[in-house]
Amino acid sequence: MSEQKIPLAGVIGSPIGHSKSPQIHRHWLSTMGLKGHYIPMNVAPDDLKTVLHTLPKAGFVGVNITIPHKVSVLEIADLVTDRATLIGAANTLIFRKDGKIHADNTDGYGFVKNLESVSGGWDPAAGPAALFGAGGAARAVIAAMLDAGVPEILISNRTRVRAEALRSDFGKRLRVFDWVQAGNMLDYAATVVNSTSLGMIGQPPLRVPLDGLQKGAVVTDLVYAPLKTKLLEVAEEAGCRTVDGLGMLLHQAVPGFERWFGTRPKVDSATRAAALR
């Protein structure tokens, strides 16, 4: 009688100790009574290809990918989804039965699902979105917002050239503002997103003037340490609807978990509590 293999998954990065993914996936495995394990793996860039080709032989069905491997993993994968290609990064790998590595990016999906959880819901067509930052996370956010039907994205980054590069990649629905003018974007914005690390514990504050925030606008910060950043605090006081960054992390984990372990998990208050342990 052949032994039934227990599915294994995990997260690969370097460093990896800070990742909350193991807490989230283990919570789901345990509460749903599923067989399976999810482990963090610190893998150096030079070893990534070897490790990814070895893991399926050890019973792994897939992995999450985090910094610094999200871009380089596209070169290793056999199949890459359109959205991962557009974003230029992957965060979820599926090891297929035919031996092929399938790469996807669920960050944009997680971002939109998180926004939809705001009180009163999120209407992408309500007006332009203002976006601070032009890094990897910004690419996922832009792709997802354009796809959801946001009419225009106003973007500002400390280094303007990076924002200009995004405009040339994503097209005319992006309008670039100088960093010194970033606060002006808020006058028009129905959605406001901080995709920079500014305001995070141990990082400099987000010094953009926030007096232009529109009452009723949906404001989110991808930073989730602290859970309530200065941006969210000020937005709440201005009568905006706010949603913290932790939800994006929880929702982006759902598609991978479902593919690996065969059951779709729910993002609820118990999931949030597990991530914050």
mmCIF file of all heavy atoms in Angstrom, residues 9-48:
data_model
loop_
_atom_site.group_PDB
_atom_site.id
_atom_site.type_symbol
_atom_site.label_atom_id
_atom_site.label_comp_id
_atom_site.label_asym_id
_atom_site.label_seq_id
_atom_site.Cartn_x
_atom_site.Cartn_y
_atom_site.Cartn_z
ATOM 1 N N ALA A 9 4.113 23.032 1.566
ATOM 2 C CA ALA A 9 4.276 24.335 0.924
ATOM 3 C C ALA A 9 5.110 25.199 1.859
ATOM 4 O O ALA A 9 5.466 24.770 2.962
ATOM 5 C CB ALA A 9 2.926 24.972 0.639
ATOM 6 N N GLY A 10 5.438 26.409 1.429
ATOM 7 C CA GLY A 10 6.257 27.267 2.281
ATOM 8 C C GLY A 10 6.487 28.611 1.631
ATOM 9 O O GLY A 10 5.881 28.943 0.610
ATOM 10 N N VAL A 11 7.362 29.383 2.246
ATOM 11 C CA VAL A 11 7.708 30.700 1.714
ATOM 12 C C VAL A 11 9.223 30.806 1.640
ATOM 13 O O VAL A 11 9.927 30.434 2.574
ATOM 14 C CB VAL A 11 7.078 31.840 2.552
ATOM 15 C CG1 VAL A 11 7.485 31.771 4.027
ATOM 16 C CG2 VAL A 11 7.408 33.212 1.954
ATOM 17 N N ILE A 12 9.700 31.303 0.501
ATOM 18 C CA ILE A 12 11.143 31.431 0.259
ATOM 19 C C ILE A 12 11.515 32.906 0.160
ATOM 20 O O ILE A 12 10.910 33.661 -0.610
ATOM 21 C CB ILE A 12 11.540 30.708 -1.046
ATOM 22 C CG1 ILE A 12 11.394 29.190 -0.872
ATOM 23 C CG2 ILE A 12 12.955 31.068 -1.468
ATOM 24 C CD1 ILE A 12 11.707 28.396 -2.132
ATOM 25 N N GLY A 13 12.500 33.304 0.933
ATOM 26 C CA GLY A 13 13.014 34.668 0.886
ATOM 27 C C GLY A 13 14.365 34.714 1.568
ATOM 28 O O GLY A 13 14.901 33.697 1.972
ATOM 29 N N SER A 14 14.934 35.903 1.664
ATOM 30 C CA SER A 14 16.188 36.071 2.384
ATOM 31 C C SER A 14 16.343 37.546 2.751
ATOM 32 O O SER A 14 16.582 38.364 1.866
ATOM 33 C CB SER A 14 17.370 35.620 1.517
ATOM 34 O OG SER A 14 18.552 35.625 2.268
ATOM 35 N N PRO A 15 16.103 37.939 4.002
ATOM 36 C CA PRO A 15 15.786 37.110 5.176
ATOM 37 C C PRO A 15 14.333 36.626 5.131
ATOM 38 O O PRO A 15 13.557 37.080 4.282
ATOM 39 C CB PRO A 15 15.993 38.077 6.346
ATOM 40 C CG PRO A 15 15.655 39.427 5.767
ATOM 41 C CD PRO A 15 16.121 39.387 4.336
ATOM 42 N N ILE A 16 13.954 35.749 6.042
ATOM 43 C CA ILE A 16 12.607 35.206 6.033
ATOM 44 C C ILE A 16 11.952 35.215 7.417
ATOM 45 O O ILE A 16 10.738 35.024 7.539
ATOM 46 C CB ILE A 16 12.604 33.773 5.427
ATOM 47 C CG1 ILE A 16 11.202 33.383 4.930
ATOM 48 C CG2 ILE A 16 13.161 32.746 6.401
ATOM 49 C CD1 ILE A 16 10.650 34.237 3.838
ATOM 50 N N GLY A 17 12.729 35.470 8.471
ATOM 51 C CA GLY A 17 12.213 35.412 9.842
ATOM 52 C C GLY A 17 11.032 36.314 10.119
ATOM 53 O O GLY A 17 10.201 36.024 10.980
ATOM 54 N N HIS A 18 10.911 37.424 9.354
ATOM 55 C CA HIS A 18 9.845 38.402 9.598
ATOM 56 C C HIS A 18 8.514 37.977 8.979
ATOM 57 O O HIS A 18 7.479 38.559 9.283
ATOM 58 C CB HIS A 18 10.246 39.738 8.968
ATOM 59 C CG HIS A 18 10.315 39.648 7.472
ATOM 60 N ND1 HIS A 18 11.350 39.019 6.827
ATOM 61 C CD2 HIS A 18 9.450 40.043 6.510
ATOM 62 C CE1 HIS A 18 11.137 39.056 5.519
ATOM 63 N NE2 HIS A 18 9.991 39.671 5.298
ATOM 64 N N SER A 19 8.529 36.969 8.106
ATOM 65 C CA SER A 19 7.323 36.629 7.331
ATOM 66 C C SER A 19 6.189 36.139 8.223
ATOM 67 O O SER A 19 6.383 35.305 9.105
ATOM 68 C CB SER A 19 7.643 35.557 6.290
ATOM 69 O OG SER A 19 6.456 35.163 5.633
ATOM 70 N N LYS A 20 4.978 36.659 7.938
ATOM 71 C CA LYS A 20 3.787 36.234 8.678
ATOM 72 C C LYS A 20 3.053 35.098 7.945
ATOM 73 O O LYS A 20 2.085 34.543 8.458
ATOM 74 C CB LYS A 20 2.836 37.417 8.883
ATOM 75 C CG LYS A 20 3.432 38.473 9.802
ATOM 76 C CD LYS A 20 2.411 39.522 10.171
ATOM 77 C CE LYS A 20 2.991 40.589 11.076
ATOM 78 N NZ LYS A 20 3.447 40.069 12.359
ATOM 79 N N SER A 21 3.517 34.777 6.746
ATOM 80 C CA SER A 21 2.839 33.748 5.950
ATOM 81 C C SER A 21 2.714 32.405 6.672
ATOM 82 O O SER A 21 1.646 31.787 6.636
ATOM 83 C CB SER A 21 3.548 33.565 4.605
ATOM 84 O OG SER A 21 3.398 34.731 3.831
ATOM 85 N N PRO A 22 3.779 31.923 7.365
ATOM 86 C CA PRO A 22 3.625 30.641 8.064
ATOM 87 C C PRO A 22 2.485 30.657 9.090
ATOM 88 O O PRO A 22 1.714 29.690 9.184
ATOM 89 C CB PRO A 22 4.986 30.437 8.746
ATOM 90 C CG PRO A 22 5.945 31.170 7.870
ATOM 91 C CD PRO A 22 5.184 32.388 7.412
ATOM 92 N N GLN A 23 2.336 31.768 9.829
ATOM 93 C CA GLN A 23 1.261 31.849 10.819
ATOM 94 C C GLN A 23 -0.121 31.767 10.160
ATOM 95 O O GLN A 23 -1.031 31.112 10.667
ATOM 96 C CB GLN A 23 1.353 33.171 11.604
ATOM 97 C CG GLN A 23 2.504 33.212 12.595
ATOM 98 C CD GLN A 23 3.091 34.610 12.723
ATOM 99 O OE1 GLN A 23 4.169 34.879 12.247
ATOM 100 N NE2 GLN A 23 2.367 35.521 13.369
ATOM 101 N N ILE A 24 -0.250 32.427 9.002
ATOM 102 C CA ILE A 24 -1.538 32.465 8.293
ATOM 103 C C ILE A 24 -1.898 31.074 7.765
ATOM 104 O O ILE A 24 -2.988 30.551 8.011
ATOM 105 C CB ILE A 24 -1.475 33.488 7.130
ATOM 106 C CG1 ILE A 24 -1.230 34.908 7.662
ATOM 107 C CG2 ILE A 24 -2.746 33.435 6.285
ATOM 108 C CD1 ILE A 24 -0.783 35.905 6.616
ATOM 109 N N HIS A 25 -0.961 30.473 7.034
ATOM 110 C CA HIS A 25 -1.242 29.164 6.406
ATOM 111 C C HIS A 25 -1.415 28.060 7.451
ATOM 112 O O HIS A 25 -2.284 27.193 7.302
ATOM 113 C CB HIS A 25 -0.132 28.813 5.411
ATOM 114 C CG HIS A 25 -0.186 29.644 4.164
ATOM 115 N ND1 HIS A 25 -0.922 29.289 3.064
ATOM 116 C CD2 HIS A 25 0.396 30.826 3.855
ATOM 117 C CE1 HIS A 25 -0.792 30.224 2.121
ATOM 118 N NE2 HIS A 25 0.009 31.157 2.586
ATOM 119 N N ARG A 26 -0.620 28.109 8.502
ATOM 120 C CA ARG A 26 -0.755 27.084 9.549
ATOM 121 C C ARG A 26 -2.090 27.219 10.264
ATOM 122 O O ARG A 26 -2.707 26.225 10.641
ATOM 123 C CB ARG A 26 0.411 27.192 10.547
ATOM 124 C CG ARG A 26 1.735 26.675 9.985
ATOM 125 C CD ARG A 26 2.877 27.059 10.904
ATOM 126 N NE ARG A 26 4.178 26.729 10.344
ATOM 127 C CZ ARG A 26 5.323 27.175 10.827
ATOM 128 N NH1 ARG A 26 5.336 27.983 11.890
ATOM 129 N NH2 ARG A 26 6.471 26.830 10.265
ATOM 130 N N HIS A 27 -2.543 28.456 10.449
ATOM 131 C CA HIS A 27 -3.852 28.692 11.067
ATOM 132 C C HIS A 27 -4.952 28.033 10.224
ATOM 133 O O HIS A 27 -5.826 27.344 10.749
ATOM 134 C CB HIS A 27 -4.101 30.203 11.199
ATOM 135 C CG HIS A 27 -5.534 30.562 11.458
ATOM 136 N ND1 HIS A 27 -6.130 30.396 12.695
ATOM 137 C CD2 HIS A 27 -6.503 31.038 10.620
ATOM 138 C CE1 HIS A 27 -7.405 30.777 12.614
ATOM 139 N NE2 HIS A 27 -7.657 31.164 11.375
ATOM 140 N N TRP A 28 -4.900 28.258 8.902
ATOM 141 C CA TRP A 28 -5.914 27.670 8.022
ATOM 142 C C TRP A 28 -5.842 26.142 8.025
ATOM 143 O O TRP A 28 -6.869 25.470 8.114
ATOM 144 C CB TRP A 28 -5.757 28.218 6.607
ATOM 145 C CG TRP A 28 -6.251 29.620 6.438
ATOM 146 C CD1 TRP A 28 -7.214 30.256 7.166
ATOM 147 C CD2 TRP A 28 -5.796 30.577 5.464
ATOM 148 N NE1 TRP A 28 -7.395 31.540 6.718
ATOM 149 C CE2 TRP A 28 -6.552 31.773 5.674
ATOM 150 C CE3 TRP A 28 -4.845 30.558 4.440
ATOM 151 C CZ2 TRP A 28 -6.366 32.905 4.887
ATOM 152 C CZ3 TRP A 28 -4.667 31.686 3.661
ATOM 153 C CH2 TRP A 28 -5.419 32.854 3.892
ATOM 154 N N LEU A 29 -4.636 25.603 7.924
ATOM 155 C CA LEU A 29 -4.478 24.133 7.929
ATOM 156 C C LEU A 29 -5.079 23.529 9.194
ATOM 157 O O LEU A 29 -5.801 22.535 9.152
ATOM 158 C CB LEU A 29 -2.993 23.758 7.821
ATOM 159 C CG LEU A 29 -2.345 23.905 6.436
ATOM 160 C CD1 LEU A 29 -0.821 23.820 6.545
ATOM 161 C CD2 LEU A 29 -2.866 22.847 5.465
ATOM 162 N N SER A 30 -4.775 24.173 10.313
ATOM 163 C CA SER A 30 -5.220 23.654 11.603
ATOM 164 C C SER A 30 -6.729 23.804 11.791
ATOM 165 O O SER A 30 -7.418 22.855 12.155
ATOM 166 C CB SER A 30 -4.410 24.351 12.699
ATOM 167 O OG SER A 30 -5.185 24.655 13.792
ATOM 168 N N THR A 31 -7.293 24.998 11.494
ATOM 169 C CA THR A 31 -8.731 25.206 11.738
ATOM 170 C C THR A 31 -9.594 24.409 10.755
ATOM 171 O O THR A 31 -10.724 24.059 11.069
ATOM 172 C CB THR A 31 -9.120 26.693 11.662
ATOM 173 O OG1 THR A 31 -8.679 27.218 10.420
ATOM 174 C CG2 THR A 31 -8.509 27.484 12.796
ATOM 175 N N MET A 32 -9.054 24.120 9.566
ATOM 176 C CA MET A 32 -9.828 23.363 8.580
ATOM 177 C C MET A 32 -9.548 21.861 8.668
ATOM 178 O O MET A 32 -10.122 21.083 7.907
ATOM 179 C CB MET A 32 -9.519 23.893 7.178
ATOM 180 C CG MET A 32 -10.008 25.324 6.985
ATOM 181 S SD MET A 32 -9.216 26.160 5.601
ATOM 182 C CE MET A 32 -10.234 25.623 4.264
ATOM 183 N N GLY A 33 -8.661 21.479 9.582
ATOM 184 C CA GLY A 33 -8.360 20.063 9.773
ATOM 185 C C GLY A 33 -7.734 19.399 8.558
ATOM 186 O O GLY A 33 -7.975 18.223 8.272
ATOM 187 N N LEU A 34 -6.894 20.162 7.829
ATOM 188 C CA LEU A 34 -6.270 19.622 6.612
ATOM 189 C C LEU A 34 -4.885 19.076 6.907
ATOM 190 O O LEU A 34 -4.160 19.609 7.751
ATOM 191 C CB LEU A 34 -6.149 20.721 5.548
ATOM 192 C CG LEU A 34 -7.460 21.328 5.035
ATOM 193 C CD1 LEU A 34 -7.160 22.487 4.105
ATOM 194 C CD2 LEU A 34 -8.300 20.278 4.317
ATOM 195 N N LYS A 35 -4.514 18.028 6.181
ATOM 196 C CA LYS A 35 -3.148 17.515 6.280
ATOM 197 C C LYS A 35 -2.266 18.405 5.410
ATOM 198 O O LYS A 35 -2.619 18.730 4.278
ATOM 199 C CB LYS A 35 -3.091 16.070 5.789
ATOM 200 C CG LYS A 35 -3.697 15.104 6.792
ATOM 201 C CD LYS A 35 -3.278 13.685 6.509
ATOM 202 C CE LYS A 35 -3.542 12.844 7.753
ATOM 203 N NZ LYS A 35 -3.622 11.434 7.463
ATOM 204 N N GLY A 36 -1.119 18.773 5.931
ATOM 205 C CA GLY A 36 -0.215 19.618 5.169
ATOM 206 C C GLY A 36 0.670 20.411 6.112
ATOM 207 O O GLY A 36 0.392 20.515 7.309
ATOM 208 N N HIS A 37 1.762 20.936 5.564
ATOM 209 C CA HIS A 37 2.692 21.752 6.353
ATOM 210 C C HIS A 37 3.122 22.948 5.516
ATOM 211 O O HIS A 37 3.176 22.870 4.279
ATOM 212 C CB HIS A 37 3.924 20.936 6.764
ATOM 213 C CG HIS A 37 3.601 19.789 7.662
ATOM 214 N ND1 HIS A 37 3.316 19.937 8.997
ATOM 215 C CD2 HIS A 37 3.498 18.454 7.398
ATOM 216 C CE1 HIS A 37 3.060 18.760 9.529
ATOM 217 N NE2 HIS A 37 3.153 17.842 8.573
ATOM 218 N N TYR A 38 3.455 24.045 6.197
ATOM 219 C CA TYR A 38 3.908 25.264 5.520
ATOM 220 C C TYR A 38 5.104 25.797 6.289
ATOM 221 O O TYR A 38 4.987 26.102 7.473
ATOM 222 C CB TYR A 38 2.771 26.295 5.510
ATOM 223 C CG TYR A 38 3.074 27.545 4.701
ATOM 224 C CD1 TYR A 38 2.581 27.707 3.404
ATOM 225 C CD2 TYR A 38 3.848 28.577 5.239
ATOM 226 C CE1 TYR A 38 2.848 28.855 2.674
ATOM 227 C CE2 TYR A 38 4.127 29.726 4.512
ATOM 228 C CZ TYR A 38 3.619 29.861 3.237
ATOM 229 O OH TYR A 38 3.889 30.996 2.497
ATOM 230 N N ILE A 39 6.262 25.881 5.620
ATOM 231 C CA ILE A 39 7.484 26.247 6.341
ATOM 232 C C ILE A 39 8.249 27.409 5.689
ATOM 233 O O ILE A 39 8.245 27.553 4.467
ATOM 234 C CB ILE A 39 8.435 25.030 6.480
ATOM 235 C CG1 ILE A 39 8.821 24.485 5.108
ATOM 236 C CG2 ILE A 39 7.826 23.936 7.324
ATOM 237 C CD1 ILE A 39 9.945 23.479 5.143
ATOM 238 N N PRO A 40 8.894 28.248 6.520
ATOM 239 C CA PRO A 40 9.727 29.323 5.987
ATOM 240 C C PRO A 40 11.103 28.789 5.581
ATOM 241 O O PRO A 40 11.665 27.954 6.285
ATOM 242 C CB PRO A 40 9.840 30.294 7.167
ATOM 243 C CG PRO A 40 9.661 29.443 8.387
ATOM 244 C CD PRO A 40 8.825 28.268 7.998
ATOM 245 N N MET A 41 11.631 29.254 4.454
ATOM 246 C CA MET A 41 12.945 28.806 3.974
ATOM 247 C C MET A 41 13.796 29.998 3.558
ATOM 248 O O MET A 41 13.387 30.783 2.696
ATOM 249 C CB MET A 41 12.771 27.849 2.783
ATOM 250 C CG MET A 41 12.124 26.530 3.145
ATOM 251 S SD MET A 41 11.683 25.549 1.672
ATOM 252 C CE MET A 41 10.049 26.185 1.309
ATOM 253 N N ASN A 42 14.945 30.131 4.192
ATOM 254 C CA ASN A 42 15.886 31.200 3.838
ATOM 255 C C ASN A 42 16.806 30.660 2.746
ATOM 256 O O ASN A 42 17.636 29.794 2.988
ATOM 257 C CB ASN A 42 16.690 31.615 5.079
ATOM 258 C CG ASN A 42 17.499 32.873 4.820
ATOM 259 O OD1 ASN A 42 17.940 33.125 3.692
ATOM 260 N ND2 ASN A 42 17.703 33.671 5.850
ATOM 261 N N VAL A 43 16.623 31.165 1.529
ATOM 262 C CA VAL A 43 17.379 30.666 0.376
ATOM 263 C C VAL A 43 18.129 31.821 -0.280
ATOM 264 O O VAL A 43 17.519 32.843 -0.618
ATOM 265 C CB VAL A 43 16.433 29.992 -0.654
ATOM 266 C CG1 VAL A 43 17.189 29.555 -1.899
ATOM 267 C CG2 VAL A 43 15.706 28.800 -0.022
ATOM 268 N N ALA A 44 19.433 31.661 -0.454
ATOM 269 C CA ALA A 44 20.249 32.696 -1.096
ATOM 270 C C ALA A 44 19.937 32.745 -2.594
ATOM 271 O O ALA A 44 19.586 31.720 -3.186
ATOM 272 C CB ALA A 44 21.728 32.394 -0.886
ATOM 273 N N PRO A 45 20.081 33.927 -3.227
ATOM 274 C CA PRO A 45 19.777 34.051 -4.660
ATOM 275 C C PRO A 45 20.474 33.006 -5.531
ATOM 276 O O PRO A 45 19.867 32.453 -6.453
ATOM 277 C CB PRO A 45 20.254 35.473 -4.998
ATOM 278 C CG PRO A 45 20.077 36.225 -3.714
ATOM 279 C CD PRO A 45 20.410 35.240 -2.623
ATOM 280 N N ASP A 46 21.732 32.716 -5.242
ATOM 281 C CA ASP A 46 22.485 31.751 -6.062
ATOM 282 C C ASP A 46 21.924 30.337 -5.985
ATOM 283 O O ASP A 46 22.152 29.526 -6.885
ATOM 284 C CB ASP A 46 23.966 31.723 -5.646
ATOM 285 C CG ASP A 46 24.686 33.004 -6.046
ATOM 286 O OD1 ASP A 46 24.092 33.794 -6.812
ATOM 287 O OD2 ASP A 46 25.830 33.221 -5.586
ATOM 288 N N ASP A 47 21.201 30.038 -4.908
ATOM 289 C CA ASP A 47 20.678 28.677 -4.716
ATOM 290 C C ASP A 47 19.225 28.515 -5.143
ATOM 291 O O ASP A 47 18.681 27.406 -5.122
ATOM 292 C CB ASP A 47 20.787 28.280 -3.228
ATOM 293 C CG ASP A 47 22.220 28.249 -2.744
ATOM 294 O OD1 ASP A 47 23.106 27.914 -3.553
ATOM 295 O OD2 ASP A 47 22.455 28.580 -1.564
ATOM 296 N N LEU A 48 18.579 29.616 -5.527
ATOM 297 C CA LEU A 48 17.131 29.591 -5.756
ATOM 298 C C LEU A 48 16.714 28.558 -6.807
ATOM 299 O O LEU A 48 15.801 27.759 -6.580
ATOM 300 C CB LEU A 48 16.635 30.985 -6.167
ATOM 301 C CG LEU A 48 15.122 31.126 -6.337
ATOM 302 C CD1 LEU A 48 14.389 30.870 -5.027
ATOM 303 C CD2 LEU A 48 14.751 32.501 -6.893
#
